[in-house]
Amino acid sequence: MIDTRGLHPTDKVADYLARGWWSRETADQLFRDRVAERADILAIVDPANRADILGAAPRRLTWQELDAEVTWLAARLLEIGLRRGDVLGVQLPNTIELVEAYLAAWTIGVVVSPLPMQYREHEVVEMARQASFGALLTVPVFADRSPAGAVVAVRDRLPSLRHVLTISQPGEGGGITGTHDLTPTAATVAERTRVEQHLASDPNDPNDCVTICWTSGTENTPKGVPRCHFDWLSVSWATVDAPRMVPDDILLNPFPMVNMAGITGLFLPWLRTGALLVQHHPFDVGVFLRQIAEERVTYTLAPPALLSVLLQNEQLLAANDLGSLTRIGSGSAPLQPAMVRGWQEKFGIGVINFFGSNEGLALLSSPEDFPDPEERAQFFPRYGTPGVSWSSRVSHWVGIKIIDPTTGNEVTEIGGAGELCIDGPTVFAGYLHGSDRPSPFDEAGMLRTGDMFEIAGDQGQYLRFVDRIKDIVIRGGMNIAPAELESLITEHPAVAEVAVIGDPDPVLGERVAAVVTLVNGASLTLTELTSFLRDRRIASYKLPERLEIRATLPRNPVGKLVKRQLRPSPGSGSVS
């Protein structure tokens, strides 16, 4: 067991409560409130392709039916000895059971540490050791492998692990030696009484940890990010406000519920509003579009690359009725202005631009604040600009500074750029085992995001993303932002996706390289690409000097591009 009580200091808690930035609500209480309000209304729907990935037909549960199974699972977790502060590793696809696992654990004060389905023994052992898993909950079979069997095989390397649990519906396997099988059912009166008595005797505190998510690991070993009710629920207001979410919404969740996008993008807003949550996993564009049409989805999330590819596939879009969809949230990479404009002009769908991380939500650009789709793609609000107001309540909560990474001085002039630092109720308290790591906070206690932004707009009211500081390519002393080049290169009709990296060079330090995937049937040469970019009148030192064409770009289990796998190994050289 690790210390998961009181993540934030008491003086900060008192201050934020007094300001109204935090409240005493907890995520499990939100669920009980929705059950009381919407008992017989449909609450959640399984992935349409559940039978293909797990074996059993998809289910549909009302709030009351979901509550009955959540209570049953909470009783089972108590039965095996899990208590407040224990960490439950959860490796489940986006199914109803994943939602039940979160809600059941939170009801009894157990911390959930979610793991992507793509993780295998190596990653599971690393995460379980760092967070001292007391139990791990997974599925007996997933497609062609057994996640439960894999955990059992390495159990001797996990001294803290007391239980390996599987959860499934009839026909989805089970009976894995060394595991305890669970099949959710409605709680009995006695089971409900036991859970209610436990909650009454040991009530949840909103400052207690509820999740330990993991950083992307795009550059090194993932770090644990503990989050409590306070900061998760404050983030959820941003993801409710930006799309103006209401109880009548139908939400399609294609992001794994293992990090900020999946948890606060749709899961917690669903708890806040009582909307209908439609699960999706693993990502399949045909199933995704069919769910939008059949479930009459009104709001969903999608990565920018997918939105760009879909916009170019008029035949696929014409074959699916997207008439119910009114807005889409996107982020994790810069949005292309042409893509955001295309969705708005062709379909009347506003794409909302989100920027944040597991450590802290920072910025969001909604159609309400940025009616012009091209501005929405390129700019975020610079909260705190005198005389400028924004629609989301978090604009009054999140503090922002731009810091010159070389001098450490604050940047305030229009056109100036530096590292984005943030504070406020959406920011986490620190990494798991933080005393063993460099602090992510500056001397003033603000989170250093590692992202470079430029101050823009006639009043300095905007921020424009430049790039990750560590991704900046330095050629002959000149800084080149890969994100800027990537935005331009994706406008080429042959390019589906692109990653710009720096190739080592003994004279210039680095040279620009572009690694691309192509639209089906297209071709591209370096000469054609540089000619296209020259027509955009960019500085010649930014032009790629190497072009590499790949079938796919490497991504980690949560879909983020892993640029380190594209960079030449030391001494390998590069080929133009």
Side-chain angles (χ1 to χ4, degrees):
M1 183 183 294
I2 57 177
D3 185 8
T4 57
R5 306 298 300 269
L7 294 189
H8 296 280
T10 55
D11 57 341
K12 180 178 180 179
V13 171
D15 181 30
Y16 285 7
L17 285 172
R19 293 171 182 259
W21 294 353
W22 283 343
S23 73
R24 284 290 175 185
E25 63 188 359
T26 60
D28 56 299
Q29 184 60 56
L30 285 184
F31 174 60
R32 290 189 291 274
D33 291 344
R34 299 296 84 75
V35 171
E37 295 168 358
R38 303 176 69 79
D40 296 325
I41 296 173
L42 186 64
I44 189 167
V45 175
D46 257 332
N49 57 339
R50 176 171 181 144
D52 296 331
I53 60 172
L54 294 174
R59 300 193 299 153
R60 307 170 75 87
L61 298 184
T62 66
W63 287 93
Q64 186 169 276
E65 290 167 337
L66 180 61
D67 175 59
E69 292 192 3
V70 167
T71 304
W72 177 89
L73 182 55
R76 297 287 76 71
L77 298 180
L78 287 173
E79 189 177 75
I80 65 171
L82 292 185
R83 295 293 185 272
R84 180 174 307 283
D86 281 326
V87 180
L88 174 68
V90 173
Q91 189 178 32
L92 297 175
N94 276 4
T95 58
I96 288 174
E97 287 80 9
L98 176 56
V99 170
E100 291 175 342
Y102 272 110
L103 296 172
W106 291 347
T107 296
I108 62 173
V110 168
V111 180
V112 174
S113 184
L115 305 175
M117 289 306 299
Q118 295 95 323
Y119 277 5
R120 301 297 180 99
E121 291 90 333
H122 172 77
E123 293 87 1
V124 170
V125 168
E126 175 64 28
M127 306 302 101
R129 282 178 171 174
Q130 283 196 48
S132 300
F133 288 1
L136 192 145
L137 176 66
T138 187
V139 286
V141 177
F142 181 73
D144 60 352
R145 63 189 177 94
S146 172
V151 176
V152 171
V154 296
R155 189 169 180 176
D156 61 338
R157 296 161 59 187
L158 301 171
S160 68
L161 193 66
R162 307 194 299 275
H163 306 281
V164 179
L165 312 173
T166 64
I167 189 165
S168 60
Q169 292 299 310
E172 293 183 342
I176 306 293
T177 301
T179 69
H180 182 69
D181 298 330
L182 304 172
T183 300
T185 188
T188 64
V189 173
E191 289 165 340
R192 182 172 294 279
T193 299
R194 181 182 182 188
V195 171
E196 290 175 349
Q197 289 176 342
H198 174 84
L199 185 58
S201 64
D202 186 16
N204 288 323
D205 188 299
N207 198 22
D208 284 351
C209 182
V210 290
T211 61
I212 299 174
C213 297
W214 301 92
T215 59
S216 311
T218 54
E219 294 294 333
N220 47 40
T221 302
K223 299 185 288 290
V225 181
R227 285 287 203 164
C228 65
H229 299 271
F230 274 143
D231 36 42
W232 264 155
L233 293 180
S234 65
V235 172
S236 73
W237 279 122
T239 48
V240 167
D241 285 350
R244 295 300 175 197
M245 199 177 292
V246 295
D248 290 337
D249 270 318
I250 300 174
L251 316 175
L252 176 57
N253 179 33
F255 278 76
M257 285 170 42
V258 298
N259 61 8
M260 187 178 203
I263 294 172
T264 61
L266 290 170
F267 176 40
L268 292 180
W270 164 73
L271 281 181
R272 279 216 175 275
T273 62
L276 171 61
L277 181 65
V278 180
Q279 295 281 62
H280 178 95
H281 195 111
F283 187 80
D284 181 293
V285 67
V287 175
F288 179 73
L289 294 175
R290 188 168 72 248
Q291 284 179 294
I292 292 175
E294 294 178 353
E295 300 289 351
R296 306 307 296 160
V297 170
T298 59
Y299 178 60
T300 189
L301 303 176
L306 171 66
L307 294 177
S308 294
V309 170
L310 283 178
L311 199 60
Q312 296 169 11
N313 195 329
E314 295 183 5
Q315 183 178 358
L316 182 61
L317 292 177
N320 294 273
D321 180 6
L322 305 184
S324 61
L325 195 61
T326 57
R327 60 266 199 241
I328 301 172
S330 193
S332 79
L335 273 56
Q336 307 308 318
M339 178 272 288
V340 180
R341 183 181 66 248
W343 280 98
Q344 185 155 316
E345 292 180 352
K346 290 185 179 181
F347 302 101
I349 294 173
V351 177
I352 301 164
N353 196 357
F354 288 104
F355 181 86
S357 67
N358 282 327
E359 292 90 339
L361 179 94
L363 309 165
L364 57 96
S365 298
S366 67
E368 188 171 349
D369 291 328
F370 293 82
D372 184 310
E374 296 208 9
E375 288 190 349
R376 196 183 326 134
Q378 298 177 76
F379 301 115
F380 291 99
R382 183 180 172 218
Y383 302 143
T385 304
V388 181
S389 61
W390 308 97
S391 60
S392 175
R393 71 196 77 191
V394 300
S395 66
H396 304 289
W397 301 349
V398 176
I400 285 176
K401 285 194 306 186
I402 302 296
I403 301 296
D404 185 309
T406 302
T407 65
N409 296 328
E410 184 174 0
V411 178
T412 57
E413 70 276 9
I414 296 173
E419 182 178 15
L420 175 69
C421 297
I422 64 172
D423 64 9
T426 70
V427 175
F428 83 139
Y431 291 117
L432 186 67
H433 309 305
S435 60
D436 301 329
R437 305 179 183 277
S439 173
F441 304 102
D442 67 10
E443 293 180 355
M446 300 189 80
L447 175 65
R448 300 182 59 178
T449 66
D451 298 291
M452 183 171 286
F453 279 80
E454 175 189 302
I455 299 173
D458 56 1
Q459 303 175 64
Q461 75 273 34
Y462 299 153
L463 292 173
R464 184 183 69 84
F465 177 70
V466 177
D467 216 317
R468 291 288 295 172
I469 291 176
K470 62 188 175 186
D471 286 340
I472 295 290
V473 177
I474 304 176
R475 182 189 187 278
M478 301 296 289
N479 289 352
I480 301 168
E484 177 191 22
L485 269 180
E486 289 162 354
S487 177
L488 292 170
I489 291 171
T490 52
E491 293 179 7
H492 193 290
V495 174
E497 288 189 273
V498 59
V500 169
I501 58 174
D503 281 348
D505 184 88
V507 177
L508 295 173
E510 290 180 298
R511 292 179 183 268
V512 176
V515 185
V516 306
T517 66
L518 299 179
V519 174
N520 287 341
S523 62
L524 185 65
T525 67
L526 180 61
T527 300
E528 290 169 342
L529 178 59
T530 55
S531 176
F532 174 83
L533 293 173
R534 287 184 193 277
D535 289 343
R536 268 62 185 168
R537 313 303 295 172
I538 71 169
S540 59
Y541 70 85
K542 297 179 181 179
L543 294 172
E545 296 173 80
R546 181 171 71 89
L547 173 65
E548 180 181 343
I549 296 173
R550 292 195 177 197
T552 60
L553 298 182
R555 297 187 179 278
N556 67 15
V558 296
K560 285 193 175 182
L561 186 66
V562 185
K563 286 192 173 182
R564 71 169 184 269
Q565 295 183 18
L566 298 173
R567 298 185 178 111
S569 57
S572 66
S574 62
V575 179
S576 296

Short mmCIF file of all heavy atoms in Angstrom, two decimals, residues 45-49 250 252-254 278-282 284-297 320-321 324:
data_model
loop_
_atom_site.label_atom_id
_atom_site.label_comp_id
_atom_site.label_asym_id
_atom_site.label_seq_id
_atom_site.Cartn_x
_atom_site.Cartn_y
_atom_site.Cartn_z
N VAL A 45 -23.91 2.03 -22.97
CA VAL A 45 -24.02 1.03 -24.03
C VAL A 45 -22.62 0.46 -24.29
O VAL A 45 -21.64 1.20 -24.37
CB VAL A 45 -24.58 1.66 -25.33
CG1 VAL A 45 -24.58 0.66 -26.47
CG2 VAL A 45 -25.99 2.20 -25.07
N ASP A 46 -22.54 -0.85 -24.45
CA ASP A 46 -21.28 -1.53 -24.75
C ASP A 46 -20.79 -1.22 -26.17
O ASP A 46 -21.59 -0.80 -27.03
CB ASP A 46 -21.48 -3.04 -24.65
CG ASP A 46 -20.91 -3.64 -23.37
OD1 ASP A 46 -19.94 -3.06 -22.83
OD2 ASP A 46 -21.43 -4.68 -22.92
N PRO A 47 -19.50 -1.48 -26.45
CA PRO A 47 -19.03 -1.40 -27.84
C PRO A 47 -19.86 -2.29 -28.75
O PRO A 47 -20.21 -3.42 -28.38
CB PRO A 47 -17.59 -1.88 -27.76
CG PRO A 47 -17.19 -1.67 -26.34
CD PRO A 47 -18.43 -1.87 -25.53
N ALA A 48 -20.17 -1.81 -29.95
CA ALA A 48 -21.00 -2.59 -30.87
C ALA A 48 -20.34 -3.89 -31.29
O ALA A 48 -21.01 -4.86 -31.63
CB ALA A 48 -21.32 -1.74 -32.10
N ASN A 49 -18.99 -3.92 -31.24
CA ASN A 49 -18.26 -5.11 -31.66
C ASN A 49 -17.75 -5.94 -30.49
O ASN A 49 -16.75 -6.66 -30.61
CB ASN A 49 -17.08 -4.71 -32.55
CG ASN A 49 -16.13 -3.73 -31.86
OD1 ASN A 49 -16.51 -3.07 -30.90
ND2 ASN A 49 -14.91 -3.64 -32.35
N ILE A 250 -25.86 12.35 -26.37
CA ILE A 250 -25.43 10.96 -26.54
C ILE A 250 -23.94 11.01 -26.88
O ILE A 250 -23.55 11.58 -27.90
CB ILE A 250 -26.24 10.24 -27.63
CG1 ILE A 250 -27.72 10.25 -27.24
CG2 ILE A 250 -25.74 8.81 -27.82
CD1 ILE A 250 -28.64 9.71 -28.32
N LEU A 252 -20.18 9.39 -27.55
CA LEU A 252 -19.46 8.23 -28.05
C LEU A 252 -18.01 8.34 -27.61
O LEU A 252 -17.32 9.30 -27.95
CB LEU A 252 -19.54 8.16 -29.58
CG LEU A 252 -18.75 7.04 -30.26
CD1 LEU A 252 -19.16 5.67 -29.74
CD2 LEU A 252 -18.93 7.11 -31.77
N ASN A 253 -17.54 7.34 -26.85
CA ASN A 253 -16.21 7.39 -26.27
C ASN A 253 -15.26 6.42 -26.97
O ASN A 253 -15.24 5.24 -26.66
CB ASN A 253 -16.25 7.05 -24.78
CG ASN A 253 -14.86 7.07 -24.18
OD1 ASN A 253 -14.01 7.83 -24.59
ND2 ASN A 253 -14.64 6.21 -23.20
N PRO A 254 -14.41 6.91 -27.91
CA PRO A 254 -13.47 6.04 -28.59
C PRO A 254 -12.09 6.01 -27.95
O PRO A 254 -11.22 5.26 -28.38
CB PRO A 254 -13.39 6.65 -29.99
CG PRO A 254 -13.51 8.12 -29.72
CD PRO A 254 -14.43 8.25 -28.52
N VAL A 278 -21.86 5.88 -24.83
CA VAL A 278 -21.70 4.76 -25.75
C VAL A 278 -20.21 4.45 -25.83
O VAL A 278 -19.41 5.31 -26.22
CB VAL A 278 -22.26 5.09 -27.14
CG1 VAL A 278 -22.08 3.91 -28.09
CG2 VAL A 278 -23.73 5.49 -27.05
N GLN A 279 -19.82 3.23 -25.46
CA GLN A 279 -18.42 2.84 -25.45
C GLN A 279 -17.96 2.31 -26.81
O GLN A 279 -18.77 1.77 -27.58
CB GLN A 279 -18.18 1.78 -24.37
CG GLN A 279 -18.40 2.29 -22.95
CD GLN A 279 -17.22 3.10 -22.44
OE1 GLN A 279 -16.88 4.14 -23.00
NE2 GLN A 279 -16.59 2.62 -21.38
N HIS A 280 -16.66 2.46 -27.07
CA HIS A 280 -16.08 2.01 -28.34
C HIS A 280 -14.68 1.47 -28.07
O HIS A 280 -13.87 2.12 -27.42
CB HIS A 280 -16.00 3.17 -29.32
CG HIS A 280 -15.37 2.81 -30.65
ND1 HIS A 280 -16.13 2.45 -31.73
CD2 HIS A 280 -14.08 2.76 -31.06
CE1 HIS A 280 -15.32 2.18 -32.76
NE2 HIS A 280 -14.06 2.36 -32.36
N HIS A 281 -14.38 0.25 -28.61
CA HIS A 281 -13.04 -0.33 -28.42
C HIS A 281 -12.95 -1.66 -29.16
O HIS A 281 -13.90 -2.43 -29.11
CB HIS A 281 -12.77 -0.58 -26.94
CG HIS A 281 -11.32 -0.82 -26.62
ND1 HIS A 281 -10.56 0.07 -25.91
CD2 HIS A 281 -10.48 -1.84 -26.92
CE1 HIS A 281 -9.34 -0.39 -25.78
NE2 HIS A 281 -9.27 -1.55 -26.39
N PRO A 282 -11.76 -1.95 -29.77
CA PRO A 282 -10.68 -1.03 -30.09
C PRO A 282 -11.11 -0.14 -31.24
O PRO A 282 -12.13 -0.40 -31.87
CB PRO A 282 -9.55 -1.97 -30.51
CG PRO A 282 -10.26 -3.15 -31.10
CD PRO A 282 -11.52 -3.31 -30.29
N ASP A 284 -12.08 1.33 -34.51
CA ASP A 284 -12.38 0.82 -35.85
C ASP A 284 -13.25 1.87 -36.52
O ASP A 284 -14.37 2.14 -36.07
CB ASP A 284 -13.11 -0.52 -35.75
CG ASP A 284 -13.44 -1.11 -37.11
OD1 ASP A 284 -14.26 -0.52 -37.83
OD2 ASP A 284 -12.89 -2.18 -37.45
N VAL A 285 -12.74 2.47 -37.59
CA VAL A 285 -13.43 3.61 -38.18
C VAL A 285 -14.82 3.24 -38.68
O VAL A 285 -15.78 4.02 -38.55
CB VAL A 285 -12.60 4.25 -39.30
CG1 VAL A 285 -12.45 3.33 -40.49
CG2 VAL A 285 -13.19 5.60 -39.72
N GLY A 286 -14.99 2.02 -39.23
CA GLY A 286 -16.31 1.60 -39.70
C GLY A 286 -17.30 1.47 -38.56
O GLY A 286 -18.45 1.93 -38.65
N VAL A 287 -16.86 0.84 -37.46
CA VAL A 287 -17.73 0.69 -36.28
C VAL A 287 -18.03 2.06 -35.68
O VAL A 287 -19.17 2.35 -35.27
CB VAL A 287 -17.08 -0.24 -35.25
CG1 VAL A 287 -17.92 -0.30 -33.97
CG2 VAL A 287 -16.87 -1.63 -35.81
N PHE A 288 -17.01 2.91 -35.61
CA PHE A 288 -17.15 4.26 -35.05
C PHE A 288 -18.24 5.05 -35.79
O PHE A 288 -19.16 5.60 -35.16
CB PHE A 288 -15.80 4.96 -35.14
CG PHE A 288 -15.77 6.37 -34.64
CD1 PHE A 288 -15.81 6.65 -33.28
CD2 PHE A 288 -15.64 7.44 -35.52
CE1 PHE A 288 -15.75 7.95 -32.81
CE2 PHE A 288 -15.58 8.74 -35.06
CZ PHE A 288 -15.63 9.00 -33.70
N LEU A 289 -18.17 5.08 -37.10
CA LEU A 289 -19.15 5.82 -37.89
C LEU A 289 -20.53 5.18 -37.78
O LEU A 289 -21.55 5.89 -37.74
CB LEU A 289 -18.71 5.90 -39.34
CG LEU A 289 -17.44 6.73 -39.60
CD1 LEU A 289 -17.03 6.63 -41.07
CD2 LEU A 289 -17.62 8.18 -39.19
N ARG A 290 -20.57 3.85 -37.74
CA ARG A 290 -21.86 3.17 -37.62
C ARG A 290 -22.52 3.47 -36.27
O ARG A 290 -23.74 3.66 -36.18
CB ARG A 290 -21.68 1.66 -37.80
CG ARG A 290 -23.00 0.90 -37.89
CD ARG A 290 -22.80 -0.52 -38.36
NE ARG A 290 -22.19 -1.37 -37.36
CZ ARG A 290 -20.97 -1.89 -37.44
NH1 ARG A 290 -20.22 -1.62 -38.50
NH2 ARG A 290 -20.49 -2.66 -36.49
N GLN A 291 -21.71 3.54 -35.20
CA GLN A 291 -22.27 3.88 -33.89
C GLN A 291 -22.84 5.29 -33.88
O GLN A 291 -23.88 5.54 -33.27
CB GLN A 291 -21.19 3.73 -32.80
CG GLN A 291 -20.90 2.29 -32.42
CD GLN A 291 -19.82 2.21 -31.35
OE1 GLN A 291 -18.67 2.56 -31.60
NE2 GLN A 291 -20.19 1.75 -30.18
N ILE A 292 -22.15 6.23 -34.53
CA ILE A 292 -22.68 7.59 -34.61
C ILE A 292 -24.06 7.58 -35.25
O ILE A 292 -25.01 8.22 -34.76
CB ILE A 292 -21.73 8.51 -35.41
CG1 ILE A 292 -20.43 8.72 -34.64
CG2 ILE A 292 -22.40 9.86 -35.71
CD1 ILE A 292 -19.38 9.51 -35.41
N ALA A 293 -24.19 6.82 -36.34
CA ALA A 293 -25.46 6.79 -37.07
C ALA A 293 -26.55 6.05 -36.29
O ALA A 293 -27.68 6.54 -36.16
CB ALA A 293 -25.25 6.13 -38.43
N GLU A 294 -26.23 4.87 -35.75
CA GLU A 294 -27.25 4.04 -35.12
C GLU A 294 -27.65 4.53 -33.74
O GLU A 294 -28.82 4.42 -33.36
CB GLU A 294 -26.75 2.59 -35.04
CG GLU A 294 -26.58 1.94 -36.42
CD GLU A 294 -26.04 0.53 -36.32
OE1 GLU A 294 -25.66 0.10 -35.19
OE2 GLU A 294 -25.97 -0.14 -37.37
N GLU A 295 -26.70 5.09 -32.98
CA GLU A 295 -27.02 5.56 -31.63
C GLU A 295 -27.45 7.03 -31.62
O GLU A 295 -27.83 7.54 -30.58
CB GLU A 295 -25.81 5.37 -30.71
CG GLU A 295 -25.34 3.94 -30.56
CD GLU A 295 -26.30 3.07 -29.77
OE1 GLU A 295 -27.26 3.62 -29.17
OE2 GLU A 295 -26.11 1.84 -29.75
N ARG A 296 -27.35 7.68 -32.78
CA ARG A 296 -27.67 9.12 -32.92
C ARG A 296 -26.79 9.95 -31.99
O ARG A 296 -27.25 10.82 -31.22
CB ARG A 296 -29.16 9.39 -32.65
CG ARG A 296 -30.12 8.55 -33.49
CD ARG A 296 -29.81 8.64 -34.97
NE ARG A 296 -29.98 9.99 -35.51
CZ ARG A 296 -29.42 10.42 -36.63
NH1 ARG A 296 -28.61 9.63 -37.34
NH2 ARG A 296 -29.65 11.66 -37.05
N VAL A 297 -25.51 9.71 -32.07
CA VAL A 297 -24.52 10.37 -31.22
C VAL A 297 -24.50 11.87 -31.52
O VAL A 297 -24.53 12.29 -32.68
CB VAL A 297 -23.12 9.76 -31.47
CG1 VAL A 297 -22.02 10.58 -30.81
CG2 VAL A 297 -23.11 8.31 -30.97
N ASN A 320 -22.45 7.01 -44.30
CA ASN A 320 -22.88 6.99 -42.90
C ASN A 320 -23.59 8.29 -42.55
O ASN A 320 -23.13 9.37 -42.92
CB ASN A 320 -21.66 6.80 -41.98
CG ASN A 320 -21.01 5.45 -42.14
OD1 ASN A 320 -21.40 4.48 -41.50
ND2 ASN A 320 -20.00 5.37 -43.00
N ASP A 321 -24.68 8.16 -41.83
CA ASP A 321 -25.48 9.32 -41.45
C ASP A 321 -24.88 9.97 -40.22
O ASP A 321 -24.96 9.42 -39.11
CB ASP A 321 -26.92 8.88 -41.16
CG ASP A 321 -27.81 10.04 -40.75
OD1 ASP A 321 -27.35 11.20 -40.81
OD2 ASP A 321 -28.97 9.77 -40.37
N SER A 324 -26.78 13.54 -36.68
CA SER A 324 -27.03 13.82 -35.26
C SER A 324 -25.85 14.53 -34.60
O SER A 324 -26.00 15.19 -33.57
CB SER A 324 -27.30 12.51 -34.51
OG SER A 324 -26.18 11.64 -34.59
#
